[in-house]
């Protein structure tokens, strides 16, 4: 029996070995390598300076730079607002398309279109929608006499971040719809029937049947979207380039790493972002009890 | 399960076999034909100029084949690719089409061959001065200018003529003319590139130079926070907020947006690059034939447009430097440049501007020549990309009135000083 068990265990290890190796090479190695690089001064364009060990200097420089704190705040702000909006809209749309009606299949498929367009492409599209002179948003509002003159959507602190949030909500709500719809379909209609027999209003049915049963899916969807939103890069890069208080951690990291070729400090920023994401995941999984395994 | 895996496995085996046979095939071809293949890397060229020139070169040089490595369109994207490839000492790059701001950086890293042995000083003088100045590092030439650009001021010829105004030369002229046209025709006085990106630095430097300022002086001092620089940034800020001569969204404008605003007839003046002139005749343009151009306006200094140029350089890791030079010499020759100029490029050789074919076909080039001759390169230092980011952020903060021009430039000077300290380099080098 014991021998049998160890042999089985050995086979099991052998079978998972390829995936472990793949994970090690493509996930673990780059993370450890970034961590290692973050303790060195590495500038690819200045090889004559060598790669001296600088300890925590890269981190010190990050934490004393107001640009980093602004980026952290902007990223958090953006993540909270857009994920909240996406959840509310996503849930509403998922519940709508969960009902049987003519053309439901077509609608479900078309909901996915924004999500299927590469973000850089849709970001360029939004950049022209928000253009003050040639943009459709401005000209619609002017036609309806809501605006009397062109408004600089992408050139003011008040609206630039809203533009980015709008473009993100437009793009990723379909993802929420898809996940939540899958969850809604697992809820047995019997629960609703029972609730109706008890005389529950639609609102109470939503509050006491739909929400509790959907909670595990909602948490997983929120976790995915939060992690994704926290890394936002393309929309900001194309729409504002990080100006008007829209610079996020990813945009800052890319600036430092690629435009300034400062790979040491860029790695340190990447490590800081990694830690933020760990914290977010921890909160979702341990504190809120999101079950990602299922 | 088993059944599902088989096609995938077969596919992978075929893929591996295919790759192996491909490698073998290529080697066989190379050895039998006995020619050298050079890699020419550049951004996408929709004009077809590269293709035409390469065909000519291969006809006259049967022993050299040119492989074109097409890089991303954005300059930043190309820069990133070069930095990672050259830092890894990749020998597959030979001739590189380099933006004017890269050669000092790449040369200090030891990635480019000095070209003085190939091109003696007497030959170097035949190129636009500012352009060769920008690609020099520690006295040596690291690239040959190919095509040049300098910032210019475009204006609505029709409106200026109607008002009996002559094209502006100074800041004050611009204020008066733009203000008058804005009030009278209900359009913006002036548009330019003021989003937070490289283009903003190009635009700001022109006001800085035009007011007698600079980022560094000759003695290695940082002069970006001197009064003449603060005055220049104040003027730029005032154009937007005090005189309100620009579109309100100008602080989010890159080349595209400012071009659309001007060619759709929404603006009286536009600061941009030479390509605008040719494209203003396009079928979507509302100002075809109504566009004039003059060198950039100035105040206490001299008129100077920021130089943008594409240059040809040889990778230090190239296995064929001699053949690479042969190719560069061909591309930058008078004849090649005449051909390219007739298709819309702006040449780097002074002699091309005097060529009778050019004078006949492209008379507008005389204005370009004047601006190029007075044009200035951005600070020539390997740290330029880092300095540019500092200027982009601080200048943008000032023109969006987050902080005062003085505070912005003091901060920029402090950061630039820290940068030189961090990399232990003498300031300005």
């Amino acid at each position: 029996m014991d021998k049998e068990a160890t042999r089985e265990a050995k086979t099991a290890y052998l079978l998972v070995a390829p995936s472990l190796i793949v994970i090690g090479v493509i996930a673990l190695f780059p993370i450890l390598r970034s961590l290692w690089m973050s303790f060195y001064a590495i500038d690819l364009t200045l090889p004559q300076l060598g790669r001296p060990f600088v300890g925590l200097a890269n981190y010190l420089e990050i934490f004393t730079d107001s640009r980093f704190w602004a980026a952290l705040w902007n990223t958090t702000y953006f993540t909270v607002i857009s994920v909240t909006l996406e959840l509310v809209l996503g849930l509403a749309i998922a519940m709508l398309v969960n009902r049987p009606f003519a053309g439901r299949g077509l609608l479900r498929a078309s909901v996915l279109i924004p999500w299927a367009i590469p973000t850089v492409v849709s970001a360029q599209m939004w950049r022209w929608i928000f253009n003050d002179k040639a943009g459709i948003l401005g000209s619609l509002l002017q036609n309806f006499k809501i605006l009397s003159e062109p408004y600089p959507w992408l050139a003011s602190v008040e609206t630039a971040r809203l533009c980015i949030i709008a473009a993100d909500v437009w793009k990723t709500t379909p993802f929420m719809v898809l996940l939540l719809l899958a969850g809604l379909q697992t809820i047995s209609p019997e629960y609703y029937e029972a609730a109706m027999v008890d005389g529950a209003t639609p609102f109470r049915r939503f509050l006491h049947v739909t929400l509790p049963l959907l909670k595990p899916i909602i948490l997983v969807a929120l976790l995915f979207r939060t992690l994704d939103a926290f890394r936002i890069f393309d929309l900001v890069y194309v729409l504002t380039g990080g100006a008007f208080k829209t610079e996020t951690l990813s945009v800052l990291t890319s600036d430092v790493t690629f435009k300034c070729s400062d790979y040491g400090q860029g790695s340190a920023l990447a490590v800081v972002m990694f830690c933020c994401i760990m914290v977010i995941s921890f909160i979702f999984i341990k504190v809120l009890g999101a079950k990602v395994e299922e | 399960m088993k059944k599902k895996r088989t096609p995938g496995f077969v596919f992978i085996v075929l893929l591996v076999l295919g790759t192996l046979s491909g490698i073998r095939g290529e080697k066989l071809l190379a050895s039998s034909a006995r020619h050298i293949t050079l890699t020419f890397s550049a951004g996408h060229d929709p004009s077809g100029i590269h293709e035409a020139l390469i065909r000519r070169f291969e006809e006259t040089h049967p022993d050299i084949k040119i492989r074109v490595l097409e890089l991303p369109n954005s300059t930043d994207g190309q820069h990133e690719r070069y930095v990672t490839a050259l830092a890894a000492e990749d020998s597959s790059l030979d001739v590189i089409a380099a933006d004017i701001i890269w050669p000092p950086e790449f040369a200090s890293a030891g990635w480019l061959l000095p070209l003085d042995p190939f091109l003696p000083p007497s030959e170097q003088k035949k190129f636009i001065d500012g352009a060769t100045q920008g690609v020099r590092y520690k006295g040596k030439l690291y690239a040959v200018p190919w095509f040049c650009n300098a910032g210019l001021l475009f204006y609505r010829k029709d409106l200026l003529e109607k008002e009996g105004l002559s094209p502006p030369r100074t800041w004050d002229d611009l204020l008066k003319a733009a203000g008058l046209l804005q009030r009278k025709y209900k359009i913006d006085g002036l548009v330019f590139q003021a989003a937070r990106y490289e283009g903003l630095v190009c635009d700001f430097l022109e006001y800085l130079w035009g007011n007698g300022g600079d980022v560094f002086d000759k003695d290695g001092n940082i002069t970006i926070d001197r009064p003449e620089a603060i005055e220049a940034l104040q003027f730029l800020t005032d154009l937007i907020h005090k005189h309100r001569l620009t579109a309100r969204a100008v602080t989010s404008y890159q080349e595209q947006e400012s071009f659309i605003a001007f060619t759709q007839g929404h603006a009286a003046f536009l600061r941009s690059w030479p390509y605008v002139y040719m494209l203003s005749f396009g079928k979507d343009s509302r100002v075809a034939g109504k566009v004039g151009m003059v060198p950039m306006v100035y105040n206490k200094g001299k008129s100077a447009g920021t130089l943008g140029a594409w240059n040809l350089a040889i990778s230090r890791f190239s296995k064929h430097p001699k053949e690479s030079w042969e190719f560069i010499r061909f591309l930058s020759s008078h004849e090649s440049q005449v051909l390219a100029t007739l298709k819309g490029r702006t040449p780097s050789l002074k002699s091309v501007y005097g060529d009778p074919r050019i004078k006949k076909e492209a008379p507008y080039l005389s204005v370009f020549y004047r601006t190029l001759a007075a044009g200035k390169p951005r600070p020539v230092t390997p740290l330029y990309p880092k300095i540019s980011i500092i200027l982009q952020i601080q200048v943008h903060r000032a023109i969006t009135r987050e902080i005062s021009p003085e505070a912005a430039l003091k901060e920029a000077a402090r950061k630039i000083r820290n940068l030189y300290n961090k990399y232990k380099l003498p300031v300005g080098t």
Side-chain angles (χ1 to χ4, degrees):
Chain A
M1 273 287 271
D2 268 2
K3 248 187 188 171
E4 182 75 359
T6 39
R7 220 183 51 214
E8 235 172 49
K10 264 187 191 164
T11 323
Y13 278 120
L14 207 65
L15 286 173
V16 295
S19 18
L20 284 181
I21 292 172
V22 169
I23 290 173
V25 170
I26 67 170
L28 205 59
F29 173 72
I31 291 172
L32 293 178
R33 171 93 179 152
S34 295
L35 187 64
W36 181 81
M37 281 169 75
S38 70
F39 298 119
Y40 289 81
I42 301 173
D43 193 307
L44 283 192
T45 59
L46 296 162
Q48 64 272 35
L49 298 179
R51 295 184 171 190
F53 178 79
V54 292
L56 293 172
N58 284 327
Y59 291 94
L60 210 68
E61 205 177 322
I62 290 172
F63 293 136
T64 52
D65 188 359
S66 58
R67 201 180 161 195
F68 165 77
W69 294 107
L72 182 65
W73 164 246
N74 295 338
T75 312
T76 313
Y77 177 92
F78 166 80
T79 306
V80 171
I81 306 277
S82 55
V83 174
T84 309
L85 285 173
E86 282 153 26
L87 176 70
V88 172
L89 281 174
L91 194 56
I93 297 172
M95 286 172 64
L96 268 178
V97 294
N98 194 29
R99 296 157 170 275
F101 59 87
R104 187 172 73 158
L106 196 73
L107 185 72
R108 273 190 196 169
S110 58
V111 155
L112 276 176
I113 292 176
W115 195 54
I117 300 175
T119 315
V120 197
V121 177
S122 55
Q124 282 290 354
M125 191 182 82
W126 283 104
R127 188 168 153 202
W128 285 109
I129 289 176
F130 292 133
N131 183 279
D132 61 325
K133 295 267 158 63
I136 186 136
L137 177 67
S139 58
L140 276 179
L141 291 176
Q142 275 173 288
N143 283 348
F144 287 114
K145 307 278 178 236
I146 298 169
L147 270 184
S148 56
E149 55 173 19
Y151 186 80
W153 304 104
L154 292 174
S156 85
V157 177
E158 294 78 35
T159 50
R161 53 171 63 169
L162 296 183
C163 289
I164 292 171
I165 289 173
D168 191 69
V169 168
W170 174 82
K171 187 191 157 64
T172 45
T173 301
F175 176 76
M176 275 293 196
V177 173
L178 200 70
L179 277 179
L180 296 175
L181 184 62
L184 282 176
Q185 285 176 345
T186 61
I187 300 176
S188 159
E190 285 161 23
Y191 293 115
Y192 291 106
E193 283 158 18
M196 266 150 94
V197 170
D198 291 342
T201 58
F203 178 70
R204 289 189 69 97
R205 270 177 295 178
F206 171 74
L207 209 65
H208 294 292
V209 180
T210 316
L211 268 189
L213 288 171
L214 207 57
K215 189 194 155 204
I217 290 281
I218 290 180
L219 281 179
V220 170
L222 276 181
L223 173 63
F224 283 170
R225 271 306 304 147
T226 307
L227 295 186
D228 213 29
F230 201 78
R231 298 181 298 135
I232 183 170
F233 175 77
D234 348 33
L235 277 174
V236 180
Y237 189 78
V238 173
L239 287 179
T240 62
F244 301 105
K245 301 195 194 288
T246 59
E247 187 164 77
T248 60
L249 285 176
S250 292
V251 174
L252 175 63
T253 309
S254 136
D255 240 35
V256 169
T257 317
F258 297 115
K259 284 197 188 147
C260 298
S261 311
D262 191 340
Y263 283 67
Q265 200 175 328
S267 299
L269 274 165
V271 170
V272 171
M273 266 191 87
F274 177 78
C275 294
C276 292
I277 282 174
M278 289 284 281
V279 170
I280 294 172
S281 307
F282 180 83
I283 293 174
F284 269 100
I285 295 171
K286 295 290 173 199
V287 181
L288 298 173
K291 292 193 173 54
V292 274
E293 289 91 353
E294 272 167 29
Chain B
M1 274 299 254
K2 221 175 188 183
K3 264 183 191 165
K4 261 186 188 167
R5 203 176 293 155
T6 329
F9 178 71
V10 170
F11 176 73
I12 288 171
V13 170
L14 284 177
L15 205 70
V16 171
L17 284 178
T19 322
L20 286 177
S21 63
I23 292 167
R24 259 188 57 205
E26 216 168 79
K27 269 189 184 163
L28 277 175
L29 259 176
S31 60
S32 64
R34 272 200 211 138
H35 62 240
I36 285 167
T37 303
L38 291 180
T39 301
F40 171 52
S41 48
H44 176 66
D45 165 41
S47 67
I49 292 169
H50 294 181
E51 207 191 308
L53 289 177
I54 288 168
R55 213 180 308 124
R56 279 191 166 203
F57 178 77
E58 287 181 337
E59 277 165 16
T60 47
H61 300 75
D63 49 336
I64 305 176
K65 287 268 168 289
I66 305 294
R67 183 177 79 97
V68 178
L69 178 66
E70 202 169 272
L71 293 180
N73 242 343
S74 86
T75 318
D76 284 338
Q78 292 176 31
H79 181 255
E80 214 179 295
R81 289 280 292 272
Y82 283 125
V83 168
T84 38
L86 294 170
E89 311 198 348
D90 184 345
S91 67
S92 72
L93 297 173
D94 297 295
V95 177
I96 292 169
D99 190 359
I100 188 168
I101 54 181
W102 304 341
E105 187 190 32
F106 290 3
S108 96
W111 296 339
L112 299 180
L113 280 185
L115 300 179
D116 307 79
F118 297 115
L119 195 72
S122 59
E123 290 290 310
Q124 293 178 15
K125 278 194 195 120
K126 295 181 178 169
F127 292 88
I128 305 259
D129 301 317
T132 44
Q133 199 187 318
V135 293
R136 217 182 278 283
Y137 180 64
K138 291 193 173 165
K140 285 183 185 164
L141 187 79
Y142 284 92
V144 177
W146 195 19
F147 300 109
C148 298
N149 280 314
L152 291 158
L153 191 65
F154 296 87
Y155 61 90
R156 285 284 298 278
K157 212 163 52 182
D158 54 330
L159 302 185
L160 253 68
E161 271 166 17
K162 222 182 268 176
E163 300 305 321
L165 294 166
S166 51
R169 289 169 55 233
T170 64
W171 290 2
D172 282 339
D173 294 347
L174 178 66
L175 279 185
K176 277 189 202 121
L180 181 82
L181 296 180
Q182 172 163 318
R183 280 193 302 277
K184 203 147 182 193
Y185 295 93
K186 302 271 178 278
I187 53 177
D188 291 321
L190 166 73
V191 286
F192 51 99
Q193 300 80 42
R196 199 183 95 176
Y197 80 123
E198 181 66 31
L200 173 60
V201 178
C202 296
D203 287 32
F204 168 62
L205 285 175
E206 289 165 356
Y207 289 97
L208 179 64
W209 293 327
N211 204 35
D214 211 335
V215 182
F216 304 108
D217 67 9
K218 278 180 194 136
D219 309 318
N221 298 306
I222 297 170
T223 51
I224 192 71
D225 54 351
R226 298 266 170 92
E228 60 273 17
I230 295 167
E231 194 183 5
L233 186 53
Q234 186 69 54
F235 180 73
L236 198 58
T237 311
D238 286 349
L239 274 178
I240 304 171
H241 298 288
K242 187 174 153 203
H243 308 297
R244 294 171 176 267
L245 285 178
T246 65
R248 282 172 74 195
V250 78
T251 47
S252 67
Y253 277 16
Q254 298 192 2
E255 274 90 354
Q256 265 184 327
E257 284 91 351
S258 57
F259 174 80
I260 298 269
F262 183 71
T263 53
Q264 289 301 305
H266 296 308
F269 289 92
L270 161 72
R271 180 275 169 206
S272 197
W273 307 95
Y275 78 94
V276 168
Y277 185 74
M278 274 73 89
L279 290 188
S280 74
F281 290 97
K283 65 177 192 300
D284 293 329
S285 165
R286 292 188 187 166
V287 295
K290 298 173 182 169
V291 176
M293 47 194 175
V294 279
M296 199 55 201
V297 287
Y298 58 92
N299 189 36
K300 291 173 182 163
K302 279 188 202 157
S303 166
T306 301
L307 279 180
W310 284 96
N311 308 272
L312 300 164
I314 304 176
S315 159
R316 163 147 303 186
F317 313 109
S318 163
K319 289 180 184 134
H320 311 291
K322 267 192 193 137
E323 290 80 5
S324 294
W325 171 254
E326 200 54 41
F327 184 51
I328 291 181
R329 211 178 54 146
F330 173 85
L331 289 180
S332 59
S333 68
H334 182 92
E335 272 313 300
S336 297
Q337 291 207 17
V338 167
L339 198 104
T341 305
L342 293 176
K343 286 190 176 181
R345 296 258 174 115
T346 322
S348 60
L349 269 177
K350 294 175 189 165
S351 62
V352 177
Y353 292 89
D355 190 289
R357 287 166 290 178
I358 299 298
K359 279 187 160 168
K360 187 169 161 265
E361 297 288 328
Y364 53 84
L365 277 175
S366 61
V367 182
F368 292 170
Y369 184 70
R370 270 205 292 153
T371 61
L372 285 169
K376 281 186 162 206
R378 285 157 269 177
V380 183
T381 148
L383 296 186
Y384 178 73
K386 301 171 175 73
I387 293 172
S388 170
I389 297 274
I390 294 172
L391 290 177
Q392 285 170 34
I393 293 175
Q394 299 306 333
V395 170
H396 198 264
R397 288 175 82 191
I399 61 169
T400 53
R401 287 195 295 186
E402 193 187 320
I403 53 176
S404 72
E406 186 175 357
L409 292 180
K410 288 257 183 291
E411 180 72 0
R414 192 181 65 83
K415 294 207 170 221
I416 292 171
R417 203 166 290 121
N418 286 347
L419 199 64
Y420 277 97
N421 284 340
K422 182 178 170 184
Y423 292 101
K424 299 183 182 68
L425 290 168
V427 171
T429 61

